[in-house]
């Protein structure tokens, strides 16, 4: 096709040359004519060859820059949504570097194992919940009982004629020990105090049974002694009163009931051991206060 176009243009050029320069063609071509014709053919062929490469099919050739950038845009990473695509090393490493994508099985199983904890993995408290205590004494005068977590607060009327407090309604004790921290807010009446009945009961909405009572004596010191409620009084074998630390500051009290024997310690110091002639059997832990005292009782432990 290129040769045909070149020949046609050559003949056209010769015709124009003949018409424009002479009427009659030369009879004999000289060497100069031959060289000129050959050069003209060579130039015309080169020009049309170049034009054919730039204008294929009559359309402009795309820019050279576009031709070189098209192969560079071919994606080399597989499409993530393709199930059959083979992940590249980069794709396989990336998820393992994300802790949310690959959780540690050991950590998950440890968090799900409750062990000795309570609900939702929280540690189970050894202390009695204050909400398990039931109030008593309200029929003998209004008073305040506040239960919060493992803390009880008994705020009593200004009277020594009755007792007010709380008992552990869902626990029966026969032989056992109770301990707690206590602080007594000063009452307006002399001899205000607190009674601990490990195996107590109720009679006429009053604490009933053998008790260790802790109270302010007439000389301004605090003492511990054994008594029987509802009427306080010294009793039991080995009876009497024993001095204890000032209960207007927080103290740790331990009361034990084994058979007919009762004993008490305040801040680890023994404060009397008492015995009845007969065992009273079983009962419920009862805490009673009087005399306008405010008893702050925390972390009750029964064992």
């Amino acid at each position: 096709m290129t040769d045909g176009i070149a020949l046609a243009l050559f003949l056209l050029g010769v015709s124009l040359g003949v018409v424009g320069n002479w009427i009659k063609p030369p009879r004999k071509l000289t060497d100069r004519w031959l060289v000129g014709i050959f050069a003209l053919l060579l130039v015309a062929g080169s020009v049309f060859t170049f034009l054919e490469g730039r204008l294929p099919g009559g359309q402009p050739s795309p820019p050279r820059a576009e031709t070189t950038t098209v192969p560079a845009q071919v994606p080399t990473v597989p499409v993530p949504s393709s199930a059959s695509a083979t992940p590249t090393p980069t794709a396989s490493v990336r998820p393992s570097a994300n802790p949310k994508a690959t959780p540690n099985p050991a950590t998950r199983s440890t968090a799900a194992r409750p062990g000795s904890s309570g609900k939702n993995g929280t540690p189970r408290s050894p202390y009695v919940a204050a909400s398990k205590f039931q109030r008593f004494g309200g029929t003998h005068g209004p008073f305040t009982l506040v239960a919060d977590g493992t803390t009880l607060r008994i705020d009593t009327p200004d009277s020594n004629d009755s007792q007010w407090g709380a008992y552990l309604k869902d626990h029966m004790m026969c032989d056992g020990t109770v301990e707690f921290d206590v602080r007594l807010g000063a009452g307006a009446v002399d001899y205000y105090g607190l009674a601990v009945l490990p195996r107590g009961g109720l009679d006429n909405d009053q604490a009933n049974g053998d008790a260790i009572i802790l109270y302010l004596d007439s000389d301004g010191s605090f003492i511990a002694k054994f008594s029987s409620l509802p009427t306080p009084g010294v009793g039991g074998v080995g009876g009497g009163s024993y001095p204890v630390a000032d209960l207007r500051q927080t103290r740790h009290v331990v009361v034990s009931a084994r058979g007919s024997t009762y004993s008490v310690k305040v801040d680890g110091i023994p404060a009397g051991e008492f015995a009845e002639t007969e065992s009273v059997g079983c009962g419920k832990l009862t805490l009673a206060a009087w005399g306008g005292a405010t008893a702050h009782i925390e972390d009750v432990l029964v064992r």
Side-chain angles (χ1 to χ4, degrees), residues 254-269:
V254 179
V255 176
S256 178
R258 306 283 177 182
S260 61
T261 303
Y262 291 79
S263 62
V264 57
K265 292 181 180 180
V266 177
D267 282 352
I269 300 175

Side-chain angles (χ1 to χ4, degrees), residues 43 56 69 84 98 131 141 160 170 178 182 186 194 255 259 276 279 291 303:
V43 171
T69 56
S84 61
N98 185 356
S131 59
N160 284 335
D170 296 327
V178 57
V182 63
L194 173 74
V255 176
E276 289 285 43
S279 174
R303 49 188 173 83

Side-chain angles (χ1 to χ4, degrees), residues 198-264:
R199 302 180 291 203
L202 292 180
D203 182 17
N204 189 29
D205 199 27
Q206 289 288 277
N208 184 36
D210 295 330
I212 297 294
I213 59 176
L214 307 162
Y215 68 99
L216 181 70
D217 200 3
S218 56
D219 63 358
S221 65
F222 284 85
I223 59 175
K225 69 179 183 179
F226 178 86
S227 182
S228 294
L229 296 181
T231 303
V234 176
V237 178
S241 59
Y242 296 82
V244 296
D246 190 340
L247 293 172
R248 287 170 293 193
Q249 300 178 20
T250 301
R251 305 295 180 182
H252 189 69
V253 175
V254 179
V255 176
S256 178
R258 306 283 177 182
S260 61
T261 303
Y262 291 79
S263 62
V264 57

Side-chain angles (χ1 to χ4, degrees), residues 68-293:
T68 56
T69 56
V70 169
Q73 295 177 354
V74 177
T76 58
V77 179
V79 180
S81 60
S82 176
S84 61
T86 302
T88 63
T90 301
S92 62
V93 171
R94 191 174 302 157
S96 63
N98 185 356
K100 293 183 179 180
T102 55
N104 189 338
T107 303
R108 182 170 57 236
S109 61
T110 301
R113 189 180 302 116
S116 59
S117 299
K119 188 176 180 181
N120 297 328
T122 56
R124 183 179 292 111
S125 173
Y127 305 113
V128 179
S131 59
K132 292 183 179 295
F133 283 88
Q134 179 71 48
R135 61 185 285 136
F136 72 87
T139 58
H140 297 267
F143 78 104
T144 301
L145 177 67
V146 177
D148 182 15
T150 59
T151 301
L152 283 173
R153 192 189 84 218
I154 307 169
D155 195 353
T156 65
D158 296 334
S159 173
N160 284 335
D161 296 331
S162 302
Q163 296 88 43
W164 296 265
Y167 67 95
L168 191 55
K169 58 183 178 179
D170 296 327
H171 182 80
M172 186 70 69
M173 179 185 292
C174 297
D175 285 356
T177 299
V178 57
E179 57 182 287
F180 52 87
D181 292 332
V182 63
R183 176 174 58 86
L184 294 181
V189 180
D190 292 338
Y191 308 111
Y192 66 84
L194 173 74
V196 183
L197 296 82
R199 302 180 291 203
L202 292 180
D203 182 17
N204 189 29
D205 199 27
Q206 289 288 277
N208 184 36
D210 295 330
I212 297 294
I213 59 176
L214 307 162
Y215 68 99
L216 181 70
D217 200 3
S218 56
D219 63 358
S221 65
F222 284 85
I223 59 175
K225 69 179 183 179
F226 178 86
S227 182
S228 294
L229 296 181
T231 303
V234 176
V237 178
S241 59
Y242 296 82
V244 296
D246 190 340
L247 293 172
R248 287 170 293 193
Q249 300 178 20
T250 301
R251 305 295 180 182
H252 189 69
V253 175
V254 179
V255 176
S256 178
R258 306 283 177 182
S260 61
T261 303
Y262 291 79
S263 62
V264 57
K265 292 181 180 180
V266 177
D267 282 352
I269 300 175
E273 184 173 285
F274 314 92
E276 289 285 43
T277 55
E278 295 181 0
S279 174
V280 297
C282 304
K284 296 181 179 181
L285 170 61
T286 304
L287 302 170
W290 64 88

